[in-house]
Structure formats: structure tokens, C-alpha cells
Amino acid sequence: MGEILLFGGTVEGRTIAEYFDRNKIHAFVCVTTEYGEQLLPQSKYIRTSAKALNEIEMKALIQNNSFDLVIDATHPYAVIVSENIRNVCDEMKLEYVRVLRSEDYKKDANCIWVNDYSSAVEYLSKTEGNILITTGSKELKEFTKLNHYEKRCFARVLPTVTVLQECIQLGFKESHLLCMQGPFGKEFNLALLKQVGAAFLITKESGASGGFEEKIEAALDANVTPIVIGRPKENIGLSMEEVIARIKKQYDRRQTRKVTLL
């Protein structure tokens, strides 16, 4: 039985990796940061990589290993990464499964829904008041286009030295950087919004596993306007539970295969 190649860096990815560990399934798990690698289970059944791979590097990884299946559990907003994984699997005739994050949240009329970060910044440029940004550090540069962004913006980002340095280089003050790993509950979000005196909350439509509802509920309770970056639409894939059930069925079938010697 060959390994399973898992592209993770999300709650779903960690959950599937933990399933591999518990069930002694050999897998190679790719994440994009050392911090993401540290969150994975320390297991003799799991090999890991903490480097963001481009399409050429993905192809080389597959050529140099024996994989039976590729699982894409990357973030819903990592559109280019998913496209690269899918293209490589198609080219190399390797089975590909996309993990879809649930979309069970009904759009609240009190939220401002936008298609991208530039639209969020355009809206905010016509407003006043502090902003709590909870979408990470990758798109933080977009908010530096706002007047007095270093005073208005508070960013919740991952607690790594690299991320902290990148944010400071963009001009954000250390006192406006909240380095912590989510997701968080409603009460914590509520306390944080009040602490920074936020008038606006920036969030992605990250679903239940990303603590999306807890952020929206906290913002509305605090009379803070949520600005939501809409999620790219995905129609083909399976839920995390369906993917695990598929792995279990496939693994059990191989484990129970009988060999007769004549």
C-alpha cells in the first residue's frame, strides 16, 4: 500500500492527519510553515514538509514517491494552490480528492459582504474608527493603503517570529499586532473587539472550523460592523467526514485482502 499525500495547513488537514496517526496509515503531509508543521501529530506513520510548493515542486514530490491518493485540504481561499494540485494530479493520473468546508452560515444583513480585500479597503477608506483584522498576515499589505492604517488597524496573526517581522516591516506597530492561534470562542472575540475599540471587523467566510460564526456573533453584540471577504465557490469535493469514511473503506479493504500461495 502506497502513502497518501495530504496538503493541509487547516483544521481539516490536522484532523485527517490525526486520523492517519491513530489508524497507522502512512502519509506525507504538506503544510506551508514550520508553525503549521508543529501542529501536526508527531508520528512514525507521517512524514511532513513545511515548504510552500509550486506546481513543478509538487510534480517532483509525486514522481519521487509512491502515492495512492492525493487529498487537498488546503484553505478555501487558496484557490491557486488547489488549482496547481489538481493540475498535477490530472497530468500524472493520480486520484485527487478535494475537502470542502461546510457553508451552512446564512448571510446576515448586518454584515458587509465584499468579493476581495481591495473592495474591503475601498469601503473602509470612507469610514472612521478602529479595525480588527482577523484574516491573517498574507493580505495585510492591502490595508496599508488606508490613511493612518498604523493607528486604525489591529491585526490578529499567527504567533511566529517571521510573521511578526513581516507585519512590522509593513509599518504595523507591535502594540497593534495580536499574535495568537485560533479559532476562538465568542466571548474571547467580544473581549478583544472591546479591548481595541473596534468599529469594524474583517473576516473571511471561513466556516465553523474557522470560528466564523463566533466572530460574527461577537461583532454584532459589540455593535461592530463585520466586513466579510466572500469565499470562492467550490462545487466538486467531499466533506471532511466523507473523505475520512472513504479512506477508512479503502484502507480496510486493502488490510483484509487475502493471499493464497499455491
Side-chain angles (χ1 to χ4, degrees):
M1 180 180 179
E3 284 183 306
I4 296 175
L5 175 58
L6 169 66
F7 289 90
T10 57
V11 173
E12 292 88 350
R14 290 195 294 274
T15 301
I16 294 172
E18 290 165 358
Y19 177 83
F20 290 154
D21 178 42
R22 290 195 305 272
N23 292 276
K24 303 178 181 179
I25 298 174
H26 292 277
F28 193 106
V29 183
C30 293
V31 294
T32 59
T33 64
E34 291 183 1
Y35 181 73
E37 188 177 37
Q38 292 170 7
L39 297 176
L40 296 171
Q42 301 298 310
S43 170
K44 64 180 181 179
Y45 302 103
I46 297 176
R47 296 189 292 152
T48 61
S49 169
K51 179 179 180 292
L53 304 179
N54 59 33
E55 195 166 335
I56 295 174
E57 291 167 327
M58 291 176 186
K59 185 176 180 179
L61 174 64
I62 292 173
Q63 287 175 330
N64 295 328
N65 291 274
S66 178
F67 297 123
D68 288 339
L69 174 68
V70 175
I71 299 174
D72 177 6
T74 58
H75 201 278
Y77 289 78
V79 177
I80 294 177
V81 175
S82 286
E83 183 178 341
N84 288 342
I85 298 170
R86 192 162 46 246
N87 289 342
V88 169
C89 289
D90 287 344
E91 181 182 344
M92 304 189 74
K93 304 295 188 285
L94 192 58
E95 185 178 3
Y96 167 88
V97 176
R98 172 61 172 153
V99 180
L100 296 181
R101 187 170 287 186
S102 63
E103 295 185 75
D104 51 6
Y105 183 79
K106 296 180 180 179
K107 289 191 175 181
D108 195 297
N110 294 306
C111 298
I112 305 297
W113 294 81
V114 295
N115 293 325
D116 49 40
Y117 288 89
S118 60
S119 298
V121 169
E122 182 180 357
Y123 176 87
L124 288 167
S125 67
K126 303 170 186 176
T127 68
E128 295 180 354
N130 290 349
I131 306 160
L132 176 60
I133 304 168
T134 64
T135 52
S137 60
K138 289 185 179 179
E139 305 294 339
L140 205 53
K141 184 177 180 180
E142 194 71 31
F143 294 92
T144 63
K145 297 175 182 178
L146 290 170
N147 290 332
H148 309 298
Y149 74 93
E150 70 281 3
K151 296 181 180 179
R152 291 188 67 188
C153 296
F154 293 79
R156 192 162 75 188
V157 298
L158 288 176
T160 70
V161 173
T162 302
V163 168
L164 180 59
Q165 290 173 339
E166 290 174 351
C167 294
I168 292 174
Q169 288 173 359
L170 287 174
F172 287 88
K173 300 177 181 179
E174 291 92 331
S175 59
H176 284 225
L177 295 172
L178 312 164
C179 301
M180 54 190 71
Q181 167 70 35
F184 303 100
K186 174 185 173 181
E187 294 305 318
F188 184 89
N189 288 319
L190 183 60
L192 197 57
L193 288 165
K194 291 181 178 180
Q195 178 65 33
V196 304
F200 301 94
L201 167 73
I202 305 295
T203 180
K204 296 175 184 175
E205 188 185 358
S206 53
S209 60
F212 177 66
E213 290 191 37
E214 289 82 355
K215 285 194 278 188
I216 298 299
E217 290 174 0
L220 296 180
D221 280 5
N223 291 320
V224 170
T225 301
I227 300 177
V228 184
I229 313 292
R231 185 193 305 186
K233 295 298 179 184
E234 293 185 288
N235 299 316
I236 301 175
L238 302 172
S239 68
M240 182 185 66
E241 293 75 17
E242 289 172 330
V243 170
I244 290 178
R246 181 170 179 173
I247 296 168
K248 184 177 186 299
K249 182 179 180 180
Q250 185 171 336
Y251 182 76
D252 287 348
R253 183 171 65 248
R254 295 188 180 191
Q255 285 292 87
T256 56
R257 183 178 297 171
K258 295 181 180 180
V259 177
T260 301
L261 297 179
L262 298 177

